[in-house]
Amino acid sequence: MTDLNHIRNFSIIAHIDHGKSTLADRLIERCGGLDTREMKTQVLDSMDIERERGITIKAQTVRLLYNAKDGETYTLNLMDTPGHVDFSYEVSRSLAACEGSLLVVDASQGVEAQTLANVYLALDSDHEIIPVLNKIDLPAAEPDRVKQQIEDVIGLDASDAVEISAKTGIGIDDVLEALVKRLPPPQGNRDAKLQALLVDSWYDAYLGVVALVRVREGVLKKSMKIRMLSTGAAHPVDRVGVFTPKGLMVNELGPGEIGFITAAIKSVADCKVGDTLTDDRNPSTEALAGFKPSVPVVFCGLFPVDASDYETLRDSLARLALNDSSLHYEPESSAALGFGYRCGCLGLLHLEIVQERLEREFDLDLITTAPSVVYRIHMNNGTVAELHNPADYPDVMKIDHIEEPWIKATIMVPDDYLGQVLTLCTERRGEQIDLTYVGGRAMVVYLLPLNEVVFDFYDRLKSVSRGYASFDYQIAEYRPGNLVKLAVLVNGDPVDALSIVVHNDKAESRGRALCKRLKDLIPRQLFKVAIQAAIGGKVIARESVNAMRKDVTAKCYGGDITRKRKLLDKQKKGKKRMRQFGKVEIPQSAFLQALKMDDG
């Protein structure tokens, strides 16, 4: 049983690549969580995809024991969080389970857009924040300038910020001392009714659903029966444990402690992240404040290349959604691609990771349709419908107007690249709200339509700023827009999987680019194939795939020209009939290429 005053729950928050996972490595090493031979870089990034890309996708929890300089032993529950804007929901869930945060800032780069966003998330959770300046061993490090920047931009007192190098281990003891001295201990009562917050869950092939919980009140013991407040489902607890970062079994979790349980939960639906767990025999009727449900921003269709994999895709999505609660999905069907699912994600990187995890972890071959955002369609009869899939676009005559989502984007960029960034935002129909200078860097705030951002805005931003710009956004509002549905017709038949919603001014250029790309991808037929892009009944772009020609006159030796003419006329009639009744099969590889996310 651990005394509450000797527990500290904290998360590590920072912008991408400022050294969160490396700092977690040093803390685990210093507190003896793993032997030297068991240590590896970014030990908490357990997925292959995280290690390959060098990013954190899932927040991870570790319990460490620290012998402080005052002779006391403290239990530290550390949560390493992602830095990318697409995984901010993962960060907000981790913050809800802690009382304090280590704000890691790169001493050479300074405050970035995502640093700012994560600080606001931590302040919303009433966190005590300790600023930590990392990478002070670099020749380009300017700790004094960055401290001033933290005070100017964020408004935090950085006079006693801890200066460290997570790579070499400089200042790690100072971080641990700051944690036990400056962060508040958790509150809770052992004798109260059990209240535990379900922070995360994942699927284990042998144990079923594993749930990560933070106990607020009461005690969670092995073999007690727990009840989920939102669903009312009751389960006996098989195992209780903590991560050190290896799984270590314990008999109970008291107030303020974070650990995992397995309770033979078979159904994914029984385990909702943000739910409250309580004792089935002596239940608490009051639910803890959970997390706001995540709102998907980008939608796309996922279809199996082999139709027989549909069932596997359904089960795989259910298991993935258990592990990634910000993923939303529902079934859909397409005339061109068959049965699949419409998935809602928090951004393009999130979408890419979901697709890659499905392919790796569940061995699926998938086709992804072009990403689209959620539009609000106001009909003439006064009703409002949400449009997730451009293929479901209603009859134009019934539409009064369409609203599209706009985001408030914060971009931080060195002065040298400001001009190119402003040009890029203006090209994407952006409206400038604010432009300020902080420590030699410009902070630009823009309102941008989300459908201009989801394609390749982030890549273009990195390219025009040589990688120095950082970008963060949140949904601001819905605004009426001059939007149209761009349909693609192949041999006169609409291909629903290739239709997109675009702004009227950009429809022609997008239509031309799409037709041009398809011309190279669709194989030649025995007849001429027309590829058209159309808005309503008006064709705005066209390309033709020429017919393969069979030489029907090969068997004519000599004789009058009319013999050849007769055979050629007969061939022409056949091709005409073929064009009327012939079906053009678009190969899966053509879909994959045509739906590539780049903007052409």
Side-chain angles (χ1 to χ4, degrees), residues 146-165:
V146 174
K147 280 183 190 175
Q148 191 59 47
Q149 202 181 10
I150 292 172
E151 291 182 2
D152 294 347
V153 181
I154 302 173
L156 277 179
D157 176 19
S159 55
D160 51 358
V162 187
E163 296 185 16
I164 66 160
S165 163

Side-chain angles (χ1 to χ4, degrees), residues 171-183:
I172 296 300
D173 283 351
D174 299 340
V175 173
L176 289 162
E177 281 300 310
L179 282 169
V180 297
K181 297 278 189 304
R182 289 160 62 180
L183 290 190

Side-chain angles (χ1 to χ4, degrees), residues 223-244:
S223 32
M224 77 187 289
K225 202 170 187 184
I226 53 160
R227 185 194 297 175
M228 310 275 185
L229 272 190
S230 72
T231 58
H235 302 278
V237 177
D238 300 333
R239 303 158 60 134
V240 179
V242 294
F243 291 112
T244 67

